Amino acid sequence: PLVGILAIGLGVLAVWKWRESFSRSWERWVGAALLVMMALSWVFSEAWAVGFSDYLAFSSAIILYLWLGFGDVQWKGRFLRVVIWGTGVAVLMGFLLYIFRDEVRMIGPFFNKLIHAHTWPNAFALFLLLTWPLGFLIEKRRWRVAFLSFSIAALFLTFSRGAMLVFAGQVLLFAIARKWRWKEAVAVVILVASLVVSANFLRGLNFPLVDVGEKVAFEADEGDQSKSDRLLFWQGGLDLALDKPVLGWGPFSFREAYNGIEKELLQTADHPHNLYLKLAAEYGFPVLILFLLLLGANFVAAGRRWRQWDQETVVLGVAVLGALAHNMIDYNLNFLANLLLLMTYLAFIRSKFLNKDK
């Protein structure tokens, strides 16, 4: 219901914005074509009923991008401050659950309180990849160091190996952009180590601990199984996309479609663990191409004026690149918070350079 309300509200706003003040750029028509193709994919879906919420979520995210990305957004700073405060609350919740409940990995607010087994640490890891860079926008040094330290410690305790690889790339990008001050970096490293050790010590008083060394070295029991499963899901996603290249199998149809080609008994998933293969398999190659065109146009518009990037542009860009990279090896945009954050960041970046393109 909430997704439906969001989709209707954004749709009305998008139509109003389209008529009043949308930039007359070809990107707008690419976005419109993308929405049409996604709708057709749902109409002719192999999983018509179960895929409606997925279709609404994705279409809402695209409408949000078209609405915010092609206008003058005056409240970006306020929005990002709200995200920073929300991240602080999510991280605090994550530490409390990790220490006082039998949760092997940091999950933050990504859990179903009615079903204990339904926890999503990888989704929380993606959320943190999108939000920890915002710490560089905090002006006061002590709060900046605190936010970065707690967020990075929480990310580490999700034990998401893919997220940690992406995080390393984000740190490198910030180093290239010269956003790290060495004294602050040292302080953050010390605080992160202290928080991880302290959280594990407190948790260890009541619950067994994950072997951190095995997790970091990709040697935990599930490591090989996770990698082999992903390879099979990626191959399956590509096979399904090639089988129905125009409209795909329909939104949220991967599990149903993959059951017919699975190579190991009971080895299945809701998605192919890759955003781009998901779009191709479920929505068709035209949707994937149109989506990549929107992304490419955004990056080109920003890249052409890289000398004019400010702190906010760099921070949002690193967060977006991290999320897109993480979704090449896992898929956690089925959580609306992650999907809307990603598309909002992209819209903020696009709107910064909109007037300069005219």
Side-chain angles (χ1 to χ4, degrees):
L2 291 177
V3 177
I5 294 171
L6 176 67
I8 294 171
L10 287 175
V12 172
L13 286 171
V15 171
W16 169 73
K17 192 74 173 178
W18 182 296
R19 296 180 60 185
E20 282 208 350
S21 59
F22 258 8
S23 168
R24 301 293 176 179
S25 74
W26 61 272
E27 294 169 68
R28 181 184 68 165
W29 300 106
V30 170
L34 177 57
L35 291 171
V36 169
M37 292 303 297
M38 291 174 67
L40 289 174
S41 177
W42 172 67
V43 169
F44 295 99
S45 172
E46 296 289 333
W48 191 84
V50 297
F52 186 57
S53 61
D54 188 83
Y55 158 69
L56 277 184
F58 260 100
S59 60
S60 298
I62 299 301
I63 292 172
L64 181 70
Y65 177 79
L66 295 175
W67 170 41
L68 297 179
F70 296 88
D72 186 16
V73 183
Q74 301 288 340
W75 41 267
K76 281 183 287 190
R78 294 192 295 274
F79 175 84
L80 294 177
R81 284 194 291 273
V82 170
V83 175
I84 289 172
W85 279 103
T87 301
V89 173
V91 167
L92 177 61
M93 179 186 296
F95 272 99
L96 292 175
L97 292 175
Y98 182 75
I99 293 170
F100 295 110
R101 287 189 58 181
D102 190 13
E103 302 295 343
V104 179
R105 302 166 64 187
M106 181 80 74
I107 59 173
F110 289 81
F111 65 94
N112 184 342
K113 67 179 181 179
L114 300 178
I115 305 176
H116 179 73
H118 287 189
T119 60
W120 298 276
N122 287 343
F124 187 43
L126 174 60
F127 175 80
L128 291 171
L129 289 174
L130 281 163
T131 55
W132 83 263
L134 298 184
F136 287 102
L137 299 178
I138 300 175
E139 295 181 0
K140 293 186 177 180
R141 180 177 180 272
R142 67 178 65 179
W143 291 110
R144 181 166 62 248
V145 170
F147 179 86
L148 291 171
S149 300
F150 274 88
S151 298
I152 294 171
L155 178 60
F156 185 86
L157 290 172
T158 64
F159 296 113
S160 171
R161 291 159 294 193
M164 291 308 299
L165 289 174
V166 172
F167 168 73
Q170 289 180 310
V171 170
L172 179 61
L173 289 175
F174 277 126
I176 294 172
R178 298 181 179 180
K179 297 302 177 185
W180 286 106
R181 299 178 178 90
W182 73 269
K183 289 184 178 180
E184 286 189 13
V186 171
V188 168
V189 170
I190 293 173
L191 281 172
V192 167
S194 301
L195 287 167
V196 170
V197 171
S198 300
N200 277 318
F201 173 76
L202 293 173
R203 174 182 165 74
L205 297 176
N206 299 303
F207 307 107
L209 296 174
V210 171
D211 190 315
V212 177
E214 288 186 356
K215 278 286 186 181
V216 173
F218 292 79
E219 295 174 354
D221 293 339
E222 76 279 9
D224 290 338
Q225 184 67 36
S226 176
K227 287 182 282 189
S228 63
D229 285 351
R230 272 172 170 72
L231 291 175
L232 289 174
F233 291 142
W234 292 344
Q235 182 61 54
L238 181 59
D239 291 342
L240 292 173
L242 293 174
D243 191 42
K244 293 192 174 184
V246 179
L247 295 177
W249 292 75
F252 203 67
S253 62
F254 182 80
R255 177 182 290 273
E256 181 176 325
Y258 185 76
N259 285 341
I261 63 171
E262 67 178 273
K263 297 181 181 180
E264 296 183 13
L265 184 63
L266 301 180
Q267 181 248 19
T268 187
D270 290 332
H271 49 76
H273 292 272
N274 182 293
L275 166 63
Y276 314 98
L277 287 175
K278 171 189 169 64
L279 291 177
E282 295 185 355
Y283 289 92
F285 282 108
V287 164
L288 174 61
I289 293 170
L290 291 168
F291 178 73
L292 292 176
L293 278 175
L294 278 184
L295 288 183
N298 195 323
F299 295 155
V300 169
R304 286 167 57 190
R305 295 170 177 82
W306 64 273
R307 294 182 183 276
Q308 302 171 17
W309 293 356
D310 56 13
Q311 178 88 330
E312 184 181 280
T313 304
V314 173
V315 166
L316 293 178
V318 170
V320 164
L321 290 175
L324 293 176
H326 186 259
N327 276 279
M328 294 182 69
I329 54 178
D330 200 1
Y331 176 76
N332 297 111
L333 295 178
N334 46 341
F335 294 86
L336 198 60
N338 290 339
L339 177 61
L340 294 184
L341 268 184
L342 173 61
M343 298 308 293
T344 301
Y345 286 5
L346 282 166
F348 285 172
I349 294 172
R350 186 66 189 94
S351 66
K352 272 182 172 292
F353 302 98
L354 181 64
N355 292 333
K356 298 172 185 178
D357 287 341
K358 292 181 180 180

